[in-house]
Every structure is written in structure tokens, then in C-alpha cells.
Amino acid sequence: MTTRPTDQALSIVFVSNGPGELATWVRPLAEQLHRRLLMRPRAPGSPVSLRLVLVPCPNATGTEAEAAARWGQFDRIIPAGRFWTLLLNPIRYGPWPSRGVVVFLGGDQFWTVLLSARLGYRHITYAEWVARWPRWNDRIAAMAPAVLEQLPRRFRPRCRVVGDLMADLTDDAKGRDPLPEGLWVALMPGSKPAKLRVGMPFLVETADRLATQQPDCQFLLPVAPTTSPEELLRFSSATNPIASSYRGGIRSLLPADDDWPWRRLLTHAGTVIHLQEDPPAHGALSQCALALTTVGANTAELGALGVPMIVLVPTQHLGVMQAWDGWLGLLARLPVLRRLIGLLLSAWRMRNHGLLAWPNIAAGRMVVPERVGPITPEDIAGEALKWLQAPERLDGQREDLRRLRGQPGAVAALAEEVRELLPLALSD
């Protein structure tokens, strides 16, 4: 399968899946490696290329490849829909060096086992909770010591605890893009259609109610790279049947002007919601006093940034809340069984949910409030107001999140692990 005659030619191939992993794992590691190594596409004459392979995932939106392309970090990007074809016939997607390193950064770890074996590349897995295939890993970069402790003893020498990649998010976030003074609240309705369908009308009404009770409140909505302001408008309009269950909606999309560089949503009640369209929005988010968020990877981002949050799962819309992980989530999407299984699955998970937000899962206890059930915008606006009027409570949650986050440096440590595999790849 070798297509390059140059002995030193090789590829570093990231494997990932959804928008959360791309923003918080893939992008920072790519930036770190580009600073350490001369790689294409940023160093056009380099024999080393950085590539991204997206894998099938029920939580993906289908626009991850387009979002990643805008960063200018990857010499080649293979969308998730072409993954199986890539395994069968890699040369179909251009020449591949005979040597390289595959880096797991999200999805099912087995996909990287298959891809590294097919390409004949070295293989490193970033393991957040467990390393599932240590026999086929050249290296394992663990988020926490628990990952190392779960490994059979013969595989432990392959593992190094590098830390939480998210812990690096706050290094310089607050120094970038300072927001105007004010009491800022982040609205995070999600990035996938199933979540936006519920999250947009719910949070728009919540913002209207909170603005009435706390007039100095300003609202920030980071636009995920896999969606757009126009799509947010659609989910807030009558074309979304769920929107009729809520008051208000979006009147217009205001353009950027000389006074403010961001576009804004203007609700029928007159509430202004500022759109941050240059992801990741870590700088702006880190300056918010509170976030109202759906469950998902955004809870990990907020936790890493130390932003207090209220996590929302309104179960009155279970019929469209099928954005779950794993094979059960896939079953819930089958045309014939989707409605029945989706309802049963979602109801079961809500009733037996335990902990849903990343900070709570990491701590094994309730660090941030999770509001699961037939909650209303009125309920959440009232609770948000109580938090905003009790700065000491916000400081307490912020400190708990900082303790969970751990020390920065994980991205640099993982980049070093990848770099150390390169000579081994070249000696194959």
C-alpha cells in the first residue's frame, strides 16, 4: 500500500467523532503538534502530514468535517460516512505513507484498532475512563490514574497518566475577547437537531423570563461549529412543532455593526441574545456568571472552564430526545422502532439516570444541579435568578469545578507521547 518513495514520509492520523471532542480534544492537540513539528498543511514541503478521520457516531451531526476544515490544521479529512470505504480501500482517498501514527480522540476505540491495523501504523489511545483494547495499543495516554489501575499488569508499562485535556482550556481563555461589563448568562441548547428542537424554544423563553426579573442580565449563545444562526432561527419558529409549547420566539437576526462585532437574536419580548460564531467560545464562556445547558460534552467544557451551570433535561419531549450514546441510541433511530424504543429508552434513562453531567460523573456526586423532568422555563428562570443573586454560591460551585479539573499540561503531555512514537513508526 506504500505510495510515497520518501523514507521519512509519514502521517499522524487523528480519529474522532462528535463536535465536543473536536473542539476540546482534537483542535488543541493539533495546535500543539503544529507548534512542535513541521507538518502539512501548515508546512507545505514537510514529509509529515496531519490528517483527521471521523468515525460513525450516533451523537455526530454530519457537519464535523466541514467544521474541522475551517481550522486549516489537517492535510486531509475523511468524513464519517466514508470510514468503511477507507478501511476497505485507503488508496481511494489519496496516497498514504507506509508509516504513521493513529491517535484515538473520541468515538469507539475499536475503530482506531481497525484503522491502525489496516494502515500498518502505530497506535495511541487517549483513554478518558477505560482503555478497552490495550493489547493493540502501542501507547495509552490516560486521563486519570483509575485508567492505569484497571489495566492488566502486563500492559501498564504502555500507559502514562497525562491528565484531562480539558484542564488546559482556561490557560488563556479569560484574556481573549473580553466581554462588555455586565452579568452574563450563557445559553447552550446543544449542537444536534434532537437537542436544538427542544433547547432553543425552551431557552429563549427562559431568557425572556430571566431578563424581566434581572434587567441587567446579558445573554451569550455560542454557535456550535456544526450549526448556524439560521438553523437556530428555524428551531425557534413555527416550523418546529415543539416551539408552540413555549411563549415567545425569535423576531429577527440582527447584523453585526460598528458598536458590536457579533450578530444577535432579538426575541419577540425584546431580549437580545448575543451569538458567538467563532468556536470554540472558551474566552467568552469563561467570563459568564452562569450557564444554562443541555446535557452533553458542553458540560465538560463548562466544567473545565470553571463556569457554574444548571443542566437541563426537560423530559416532556421524550419523543425527540434520542441523542443517546451506543447501540441503544442507534436502535432508537430505526424507522420502524424509533418511536417506541426511543420513548422507552429515554424514559428508562430518565428514571434511572443517576448522574448525567460530566462534572457530576467525574466527582461521583452532585456538583452542578441537574434538572430532569417536566421542567418549565419559569422554573429554570427562577432558579437561575436565585443563583445570580447569591455570588457566594456561584463561587462555591466554581471552586468545586476547579478542583475537579486538575492541573493543566495534558495537551502538551499527549503531544509528547505522539512525538515519541514517530521514531518508532519510522523504524518499522
Side-chain angles (χ1 to χ4, degrees):
M1 193 179 65
T2 302
T3 56
R4 283 183 177 271
T6 308
D7 288 342
Q8 296 299 307
L10 58 81
S11 279
I12 299 173
V13 183
F14 287 1
V15 174
S16 193
N17 56 338
E21 290 79 3
L22 287 179
T24 59
W25 292 359
V26 169
R27 189 174 185 178
L29 182 60
E31 287 291 346
Q32 183 74 224
L33 285 172
H34 274 297
R35 286 195 290 269
R36 291 174 177 233
L37 303 168
L38 291 175
M39 300 186 297
R40 301 194 308 275
R42 294 188 178 174
S46 172
V48 182
S49 67
L50 182 61
R51 305 182 181 190
L52 174 65
V53 172
L54 296 165
V55 294
C57 173
N59 290 324
T61 66
T63 59
E64 284 78 11
E66 180 183 348
R70 293 196 291 266
W71 302 337
Q73 294 175 324
F74 302 103
D75 189 44
R76 184 169 299 143
I77 298 174
I78 309 298
R82 300 178 185 175
F83 178 71
W84 297 112
T85 309
L86 171 67
L87 283 180
L88 292 171
N89 187 18
I91 199 67
R92 182 171 178 177
Y93 299 102
W96 292 77
S98 60
R99 290 160 296 192
V101 176
V102 174
V103 185
F104 172 80
L105 292 169
D108 190 319
Q109 294 178 25
F110 189 60
W111 301 148
T112 51
V113 171
L114 291 178
L115 183 62
S116 60
R118 180 67 180 91
L119 296 174
Y121 286 6
R122 295 282 181 165
H123 180 199
I124 180 170
T125 290
Y126 176 65
E128 191 177 17
W129 307 111
V130 62
R132 301 189 184 282
W133 307 98
R135 183 185 303 275
W136 290 283
N137 292 151
D138 292 286
R139 297 278 180 90
I140 298 165
M143 183 182 78
V147 176
L148 174 64
E149 293 163 6
Q150 293 175 42
L151 288 172
R153 289 190 179 276
R154 65 184 183 278
F155 297 128
R156 291 182 184 180
R158 304 181 187 183
C159 181
R160 174 188 173 190
V161 179
V162 298
D164 188 348
L165 296 180
M166 297 266 210
D168 290 340
L169 294 185
T170 53
D171 273 357
D172 60 347
K174 289 190 177 182
R176 298 192 308 267
D177 305 320
L179 294 173
E181 289 188 12
L183 190 63
W184 286 85
V185 173
L187 307 175
M188 304 188 72
S191 58
K192 295 179 280 292
K195 289 185 177 179
L196 290 170
R197 202 168 291 134
V198 178
M200 275 306 295
F202 188 100
L203 286 178
V204 166
E205 182 182 337
T206 303
D208 282 339
R209 290 181 176 275
L210 185 54
T212 299
Q213 301 173 71
Q214 186 82 34
D216 63 337
C217 213
Q218 300 195 68
F219 297 96
L220 169 76
L221 197 161
V223 181
T226 50
T227 186
S228 67
E230 291 73 21
E231 190 172 29
L232 300 181
L233 279 172
R234 181 167 60 84
F235 283 114
S236 304
S237 71
T239 60
N240 175 13
I242 288 177
S244 63
S245 302
Y246 297 92
R247 294 182 183 178
I250 303 300
R251 179 190 300 173
S252 60
L253 176 61
L254 302 178
D257 54 37
D258 294 337
D259 297 324
W260 187 243
W262 295 350
R263 291 195 282 177
R264 293 147 292 168
L265 298 175
L266 178 65
T267 74
H268 289 297
T271 305
V272 175
I273 300 173
H274 301 269
L275 302 177
Q276 214 284 12
E277 298 181 64
D278 184 22
H282 299 152
L285 278 173
S286 65
Q287 299 166 68
C288 291
L290 179 69
L292 306 178
T293 179
T294 57
V295 71
N298 41 4
T299 66
E301 283 186 75
L302 292 167
L305 292 167
V307 179
M309 70 190 88
I310 302 174
V311 181
L312 314 175
V313 187
T315 59
Q316 61 266 39
H317 305 295
L318 286 176
V320 298
M321 295 178 65
Q322 296 157 1
W324 304 113
D325 299 331
W327 64 271
L328 287 175
L330 289 172
L331 278 179
R333 289 166 177 79
L334 293 175
V336 177
L337 301 177
R338 177 171 55 202
R339 181 168 180 78
L340 176 60
I341 294 180
L343 285 169
L344 292 175
L345 168 63
S346 298
W348 180 84
R349 287 195 65 167
M350 290 303 98
R351 189 170 182 178
N352 303 275
H353 69 279
L355 302 171
L356 295 175
W358 177 88
N360 295 340
I361 294 171
R365 60 185 176 87
M366 198 68 74
V367 174
V368 302
E370 298 177 0
R371 298 299 172 244
V372 181
I375 55 178
T376 67
E378 184 178 12
D379 297 334
I380 300 306
E383 182 172 1
L385 181 65
K386 291 177 181 177
W387 278 93
L388 293 172
Q389 292 179 343
E392 69 284 354
R393 291 183 67 201
L394 291 173
D395 288 342
Q397 189 186 139
R398 194 175 289 112
E399 185 56 35
D400 284 343
L401 293 171
R402 286 197 188 103
R403 290 197 195 100
L404 283 174
R405 186 176 60 216
Q407 296 299 314
V411 174
L414 179 54
E416 182 62 21
E417 290 293 304
V418 174
R419 193 193 64 77
E420 287 180 2
L421 275 181
L422 296 183
L424 295 176
L426 285 171
S427 67
D428 287 345

